[in-house]
Amino acid sequence: MMRFLLLFSRQGKLRLQKWYTPLSEREKKKIIRDMTTMVLARQPRTCNFLHWKDLKIIYKRYASLYFCLGVESQENELLGLEVIHRYVELLDKYFGNVCELDIIFNFEKAYFILDEFLMSGEIQETSKQTINRCIENSDMLQEDYNNEWYEVELFG
Amino acid sequence: MDTIVSSASTDLQDYTYYFVPAPWLSCKLLRLLQCYPPPEDGAVKGRLVECLETILNKAQEPPKSKKVQHSNAKNAILFEAISLIIHYDSEPNLLVRACNQLGQFLQHRETNLRYLALESMCTLASSEFSHEAVKTHIETVINALKTERDVSVRQRAADLLYAMCDRSNAKQIVAEMLSYLETADYSIREEMVLKVAILAEKYAVDYSWYVDTILNLIRIAGDYVSEEVWYRVIQIVINRDDVQGYAAKTVFEALQAPACHENMVKVGGYILGEFGNLIAGDPRSSPLVQFNLLHSKFHLCSVPTRALLLSAYIKFINLFPETKVTIQEVLRCDSQIRNSDVELQQRAVEYLKLSSIASTDVLATVLEEMPPFPERESSILAKLKKKKGPGAVSVTELDDSKREAGELNGGGERAAETAAMAASNASTPSPSADLLGIRSSAPMSAAPAAAGSLLVDVFSEAGPAAPAAAAAAAVNNDGFLRELEQPTDASEALLVEGSGDADSAPASDDPAPPLSDADDLLNKFVCKNNGVLFENQLLQIGIKSEYRQNLGKMYLFYGNKTSVQFAGFSTTVSCPGELQSQLNVQSKPVEPLVEGGAQIQQVLNIECLTDFSEAPLLNIKFRYGGALQNLTLKLPVTINKFFQPTEMASQDFFQRWKQLSQPQQEAQKIFKANHGMDTEVIKAKLLGLGSALLDNVDPNPENYVCAGVIQTKGQQVGCLLRLEPNGQAQMYRLTLRCSKESVSKRLCELLSEQF
């Protein structure tokens, strides 16, 4: 089971955080601090897996962003890498050539996509098309809603 | 499951991830299978095996895509399959294939794969089938250890070396780990040190190699050598006589290095203190040289080390009287006796007084060699478990073992000395006028009696604090009394709350009849010399005895468990009837006043004139809170205490056995086993009896054969013993042949109670 997923930049600024276990604010902050220090300190050619307390940490660097996944010790690490990659692909498909700015400005969409893909620490759906269709549907709902408002404005 | 694996990639278009069909689902299924035990049904098992083989085969095919994701997914399934195979642990060919696959990965270009391969091999190494296969890769692993740039991969390699270590490659692996330790990351050093220590101990064929390894360990990574490691090496050196001389020499040489780590000084100090005499013959390591060497490091050390070195100095005084003056000078100098640290000051003052007051005999007894430690679970293993998994070992358990180990080293010594101080004080009744004398006796007896005197004051005020203080003193006292018992081989339970007869017995001046369970108490002491003889709510009596030839010395420790003093405390030893002419017991008189919470000691000298069957009686009288207490115990002096073991070959044994063939000389008894028939326990008891346990004499390996000579003043009685256990019937047959009839009868009686 996955415990948490963090995204942070090379400067250590946190972009996304998703927690799959209940933790207090203090603990979350502590974990974030530990993760950023540990992962940012790693050399480029070292392997992507770490041990931290009783969890395994799987991290991958994409351009200037570090994706950090904390899983329990029985999980398969290579699969964890693939989870990260799958998520990046989903973001890529949705935003079209995603970059860090996209995530900064549309962080709620990033969270929606993540929730479609992972749920309570487990993979929910692995098919890219299905997830994309779901996100597109929810986008359409949102637009309709916005349009309605707009019409009311005009006439109101 | 195997539909997915064997299906063509076109079927599941949507779920195909870079040409690998449904990787996540496959992995989940494989992990699910790990939760179940291996299938018994032949058909299912066959399909499963086929499936796993397909996966392994696919791994061998060339990759369909250059992308790293493809290989990651493929390998993810592969690793999951491998862990399933390891979990099943029943298909040797699959295991071997898995092992080979992993071996290939060990040299893969991608670091991730190397890391995972090392980790999987770790789990693989523990299974019996593949252990051999894993060992073939040892060269690769060692290479990885040396050349990897990634520290976590190096760490995994070290873990793997630890897992695959066994007798054949132990030396090589330990050497490699030691060389790695020199360059290792600081965070993992402590764990590595523990591992090296455990490995060295487990596979040490030759104990001098073990000593070398540990000393090297201390030299290389001294800071990270935790207390358990050097406690353990000292325990081992003390338990094994053959390696003591070698250890002393090696330690001496190691200490001569200019930059010596503190742990090395600790170990060196302790070993030279105990066994310095073994290398004193060599002029390069003469006593004075040894002392100077240790003293040169003295000022560089922290307080606990200095305390240990002071103890080593007093041991030197005992071993080498010629260094007495020099050492006394050192102890006398201001920096010791006015040292700001209380412990050091106390030690310096006490040792100084001890060396000047005590005669050589007393000194020798006090500073006798440490007896072998009892075998216990290695506290190092406990500590390693603790580091690996915090939930595994409870902290209190760990603290206990640490405390015990500490107690053995520090407590045993200190307590022995303070007891002797009591003895030396008792023998010099006039308190010396100089301040030093009073001061030296005060801190020592302050330990047991300060609490007592404090209590008497508080008690007179009858404040509510009294019961609390009394409870504290009682606890203190118990701990103190327990410390006094030297660690021995016997692990018999201490007597708890003997019969309360003593309190309720009517006060009378005549010696009371011996307690009803006196015989049981006696039996407990047939095979051991030290322990608690008797305990009730008021008094605890412990004994420590040693015997040589036909003479014996017994120390009786009377502990006042209450907070009120015992007045009119007197003890008499009597030998009823015939015993008078058979056994000679002399005792020194004891003080009539025993403070609350205090302990006094009495020495008994025993001489065996001829063989005896009765036990001498010990009568104790004292006044407690107005009521007169009177109790009588049997002293555990039995004929087997004067047993001297004799080794002999099997022909000699049978020759003598035949010589003693007269019916009076033989005593035989068949009895039911009272305790479990555990070989080690029986052996320990027989050795505790005082006889020599002979191997390879009896044609039946289950039987135990012992031989010894009973020393009395008048004559020597040869004794041969044969114990035949019968496991199914839970019975024993005990045959004793001695040159004197009464001896065989008595020994037979005694022994039949023991088993």
Side-chain angles (χ1 to χ4, degrees):
Chain A
M1 185 193 136
M2 283 169 250
R3 293 283 176 88
F4 56 83
L5 174 70
L6 303 173
L7 250 81
F8 44 87
S9 71
R10 272 192 59 93
Q11 284 76 32
K13 277 203 70 105
L14 192 65
R15 299 288 172 216
L16 289 182
Q17 51 173 320
K18 186 78 184 172
W19 304 90
Y20 293 108
T21 41
L23 291 169
S24 68
E25 269 305 312
R26 266 190 63 197
E27 285 168 29
K28 285 186 189 170
K29 289 220 173 1
K30 181 169 184 310
I31 293 182
I32 294 171
R33 239 198 343 254
D34 286 341
M35 288 299 118
T36 40
T37 28
M38 276 200 326
V39 171
L40 290 173
R42 298 277 281 174
Q43 309 284 338
R45 299 282 298 163
T46 53
C47 78
N48 300 55
F49 318 121
L50 289 170
H51 269 277
W52 183 76
K53 294 201 187 157
D54 59 333
L55 299 176
K56 288 189 191 171
I57 309 294
I58 304 166
Y59 75 93
K60 196 129 192 309
R61 182 176 159 209
Y62 287 88
S64 60
L65 269 184
Y66 280 95
F67 285 71
C68 178
L69 185 62
V71 298
E72 290 179 350
S73 24
Q74 312 96 301
E75 299 283 328
N76 190 319
E77 295 94 334
L78 290 173
L79 272 189
L81 272 182
E82 293 318 303
V83 162
I84 295 178
H85 190 73
R86 187 54 128 189
Y87 182 52
V88 171
E89 279 180 352
L90 287 169
L91 289 175
D92 198 47
K93 186 114 195 245
Y94 181 72
F95 288 112
N97 232 348
V98 66
C99 63
E100 192 176 345
L101 283 175
D102 288 324
I103 302 186
I104 294 174
F105 286 118
N106 300 305
F107 63 90
E108 82 277 7
K109 295 276 168 57
Y111 277 121
F112 293 156
I113 296 176
L114 185 62
D115 286 337
E116 288 291 331
F117 176 42
L118 301 174
M119 168 71 72
S120 84
E122 304 290 346
I123 301 174
Q124 207 195 149
E125 177 61 63
T126 49
S127 160
K128 272 201 294 201
Q129 271 90 321
T130 328
I131 297 186
N132 254 314
R133 244 176 272 138
C134 290
I135 299 287
E136 276 164 25
N137 285 342
S138 65
D139 278 350
M140 276 206 296
L141 279 175
Q142 219 180 3
E143 274 176 26
D144 285 340
Y145 191 58
N146 274 341
N147 284 340
E148 276 178 24
W149 256 121
Y150 188 61
E151 285 179 18
V152 169
E153 273 272 270
L154 271 183
F155 288 107
Chain B
M1 161 90 211
D2 61 349
T3 39
I4 298 179
V5 171
S6 46
S7 68
S9 59
T10 50
D11 283 357
L12 304 158
Q13 195 84 355
D14 214 21
Y15 287 97
T16 304
Y17 181 84
Y18 290 98
F19 304 110
V20 176
W24 286 287
L25 194 54
S26 328
C27 276
K28 265 284 186 311
L29 288 169
L30 281 168
R31 204 160 332 120
L32 187 64
L33 282 172
Q34 274 188 43
C35 294
Y36 290 105
E40 276 110 24
D41 183 17
V44 178
K45 196 166 183 183
R47 278 179 78 180
L48 192 59
V49 168
E50 208 185 289
C51 199
L52 290 170
E53 280 188 1
T54 331
I55 297 179
L56 283 170
N57 285 338
K58 278 207 174 167
Q60 305 288 40
E61 291 164 6
K64 288 201 187 138
S65 147
K66 284 260 169 60
K67 297 247 165 137
V68 69
Q69 276 75 27
H70 164 75
S71 60
N72 268 350
K74 206 165 71 153
N75 292 325
I77 303 189
L78 183 61
F79 274 108
E80 207 58 50
I82 290 180
S83 42
L84 183 63
I85 294 174
I86 295 175
H87 175 79
Y88 281 168
D89 211 16
S90 56
E91 299 282 331
N93 62 329
L94 277 182
L95 277 171
V96 171
R97 277 192 74 181
C99 193
N100 291 336
Q101 185 68 42
L102 288 176
Q104 278 182 349
F105 276 148
L106 278 178
Q107 298 171 316
H108 205 270
R109 272 176 35 220
E110 203 179 307
T111 322
N112 286 341
L113 290 175
R114 290 204 294 271
Y115 180 88
L116 288 174
L118 285 171
E119 200 163 344
S120 311
M121 276 204 139
C122 241
T123 34
L124 203 59
S126 45
S127 109
E128 33 179 292
F129 291 118
S130 52
H131 196 79
E132 293 305 312
V134 170
K135 282 203 291 194
T136 51
H137 296 289
I138 188 170
E139 285 305 320
T140 334
V141 177
I142 293 181
N143 224 8
L145 189 64
K146 291 194 187 136
T147 54
E148 268 301 330
R149 283 195 301 177
D150 185 354
V151 69
S152 17
V153 181
R154 282 207 295 268
Q155 181 56 14
R156 291 277 149 257
D159 282 345
L160 180 57
L161 281 179
Y162 176 70
M164 67 154 111
C165 186
D166 78 349
R167 227 159 251 281
S168 55
N169 51 14
K171 284 206 176 147
Q172 187 191 17
I173 287 188
V174 170
E176 291 296 334
M177 285 181 90
L178 271 179
S179 53
Y180 175 58
L181 197 60
E182 288 175 30
T183 53
D185 210 28
Y186 292 111
S187 50
I188 53 170
R189 272 201 189 185
E190 191 174 347
E191 208 182 302
M192 285 218 58
V193 161
L194 285 172
K195 285 195 177 142
V196 172
I198 294 177
L199 281 181
E201 189 188 326
K202 225 159 80 161
Y203 298 114
V205 145
D206 174 20
Y207 279 95
S208 40
W209 173 75
Y210 171 74
V211 169
D212 269 338
T213 317
I214 298 288
L215 290 177
N216 266 341
L217 199 62
I218 299 180
R219 193 175 42 86
I220 295 175
D223 288 329
Y224 301 96
V225 173
S226 61
E227 307 275 295
E228 280 87 4
V229 176
W230 70 268
Y231 288 167
R232 193 80 191 127
V233 72
I234 287 187
Q235 275 182 354
I236 295 207
V237 167
I238 289 191
N239 282 5
R240 308 215 157 263
D241 298 326
D242 44 355
V243 85
Q244 285 164 1
Y246 178 78
K249 196 158 81 66
T250 330
V251 143
F252 181 74
E253 278 158 26
L255 279 175
Q256 285 175 328
C260 202
H261 193 268
E262 192 169 332
N263 279 335
M264 185 67 92
V265 175
K266 282 189 203 171
V267 174
Y270 195 92
I271 291 189
L272 284 179
E274 292 278 324
F275 308 118
N277 55 334
L278 296 174
I279 53 171
D282 189 337
R284 280 172 310 168
S285 55
S286 75
L288 214 51
V289 173
Q290 286 178 27
F291 172 69
N292 282 334
L293 187 62
L294 280 178
H295 198 57
S296 60
K297 316 263 184 229
F298 188 80
H299 302 286
L300 305 166
C301 301
S302 69
V303 171
T305 321
R306 288 195 197 181
L308 201 138
L309 282 179
L310 283 180
S311 307
Y313 293 164
I314 187 79
K315 289 181 198 170
F316 272 170
I317 292 187
N318 179 36
L319 292 175
F320 314 121
E322 65 264 23
T323 53
K324 186 164 159 177
V325 180
T326 337
I327 297 184
Q328 277 187 329
E329 274 303 314
V330 168
L331 287 175
R332 200 168 286 148
C333 76
D334 271 351
S335 67
Q336 310 298 8
I337 45 185
R338 288 184 214 242
N339 197 317
S340 51
D341 186 78
V342 178
E343 172 81 14
L344 288 182
Q345 196 182 58
Q346 186 174 358
R347 285 198 186 204
V349 163
E350 285 178 22
Y351 291 156
L352 188 59
K353 229 37 201 150
L354 182 65
S355 61
S356 31
I357 290 184
S359 68
T360 40
D361 278 345
V362 175
L363 206 61
T365 326
V366 166
L367 298 168
E368 232 177 78
E369 254 184 49
M370 195 65 123
F373 290 97
E375 287 304 316
R376 253 207 317 252
E377 191 211 330
S378 165
S379 47
I380 307 186
L381 273 173
K383 181 146 188 192
L384 189 65
K385 265 191 268 180
K386 184 186 173 202
K387 280 189 91 49
K388 285 281 191 180
V393 178
S394 72
V395 182
T396 46
E397 200 184 308
L398 204 56
D399 278 348
D400 267 356
S401 60
K402 272 174 100 156
R403 209 167 23 89
E404 274 188 69
E407 237 174 69
L408 278 177
N409 274 322
E413 279 187 356
R414 297 262 310 120
E417 295 149 17
T418 45
M421 283 299 277
S424 63
N425 266 345
S427 53
T428 57
S430 58
S432 8
D434 64 318
L435 278 170
L436 241 60
I438 293 180
R439 218 169 2 126
S440 76
S441 51
M444 173 278 321
S445 49
S453 50
L454 186 63
L455 284 171
V456 170
D457 285 342
V458 175
F459 201 76
S460 60
E461 287 182 340
V475 165
N476 235 0
N477 208 26
D478 263 356
F480 183 77
L481 286 173
R482 223 144 269 162
E483 272 188 10
L484 265 171
E485 288 161 35
Q486 294 272 349
T488 58
D489 47 358
S491 55
E492 304 269 358
L494 295 175
L495 294 172
V496 187
E497 294 304 329
S499 58
D501 285 349
D503 318 15
S504 46
S508 63
D509 255 333
D510 305 323
L515 287 182
S516 49
D517 47 352
D519 271 329
D520 286 331
L521 307 181
L522 198 63
N523 279 331
K524 283 215 155 68
F525 281 95
V526 169
C527 286
K528 68 171 180 167
N529 285 343
N530 308 339
V532 174
L533 177 64
F534 169 79
E535 185 163 345
N536 68 1
Q537 275 134 344
L538 307 174
L539 186 65
Q540 187 197 56
I541 306 181
I543 44 169
K544 200 161 91 79
S545 48
E546 48 182 15
Y547 295 88
R548 222 159 263 165
Q549 310 253 318
N550 67 324
L551 298 170
K553 207 175 193 129
M554 189 181 275
Y555 296 90
L556 287 164
F557 302 98
Y558 304 99
N560 182 347
K561 282 172 80 170
T562 66
S563 52
V564 185
Q565 56 178 245
F566 294 158
F569 193 85
S570 75
T571 60
T572 14
V573 181
S574 56
C575 303
E578 273 191 2
L579 198 56
Q580 192 89 305
S581 53
Q582 293 164 339
L583 199 65
N584 210 347
V585 183
Q586 284 156 352
S587 59
K588 293 208 177 77
V590 278
E591 280 167 31
L593 210 68
V594 183
E595 291 295 331
Q599 196 185 62
I600 57 169
Q601 189 191 254
Q602 185 180 36
V603 183
L604 296 173
N605 285 324
I606 308 168
E607 188 184 347
C608 177
L609 301 168
T610 169
D611 65 288
F612 57 94
S613 331
E614 290 292 317
L617 298 170
L618 173 72
N619 174 249
I620 305 166
K621 282 202 275 269
F622 59 94
R623 207 179 286 275
Y624 168 68
L628 191 64
Q629 305 289 333
N630 195 334
L631 56 104
T632 311
L633 299 165
K634 282 195 180 176
L635 270 185
V637 182
T638 44
I639 185 75
N640 67 295
K641 300 287 181 188
F642 299 101
F643 229 143
Q644 293 283 318
T646 32
E647 295 283 345
M648 57 173 78
S650 100
Q651 304 98 296
D652 291 329
F653 183 83
F654 282 116
Q655 197 182 27
R656 281 168 216 253
W657 189 262
K658 288 197 190 72
Q659 275 176 346
L660 297 169
S661 54
Q662 294 197 7
Q664 309 98 292
Q665 292 172 326
E666 173 172 314
Q668 198 178 84
K669 198 159 178 193
I670 299 180
F671 54 93
K672 195 145 179 19
N674 291 328
H675 307 281
M677 291 168 114
D678 178 34
T679 324
E680 290 305 315
V681 171
I682 295 178
K683 276 195 184 156
K685 283 191 181 156
L686 288 172
L687 286 170
L689 197 62
S691 58
L693 189 60
L694 303 171
D695 287 323
N696 298 325
V697 172
D698 196 308
N700 181 349
E702 299 270 314
N703 294 346
Y704 303 93
V705 170
C706 302
V709 176
I710 298 205
Q711 306 271 357
T712 68
K713 189 163 183 196
Q715 56 177 183
Q716 299 187 344
V717 184
C719 278
L720 302 172
L721 190 157
R722 186 182 191 197
L723 181 68
E724 290 157 283
N726 185 336
Q728 289 123 323
Q730 289 289 304
M731 310 258 290
Y732 287 101
R733 183 166 80 149
L734 175 66
T735 322
L736 271 159
R737 286 196 184 186
C738 307
S739 37
K740 212 167 171 196
E741 181 192 343
S742 45
V743 176
S744 8
K745 275 218 197 86
R746 179 70 179 137
L747 275 179
C748 201
E749 262 172 44
L750 284 173
L751 283 177
S752 52
E753 297 301 317
Q754 290 302 308
F755 297 102

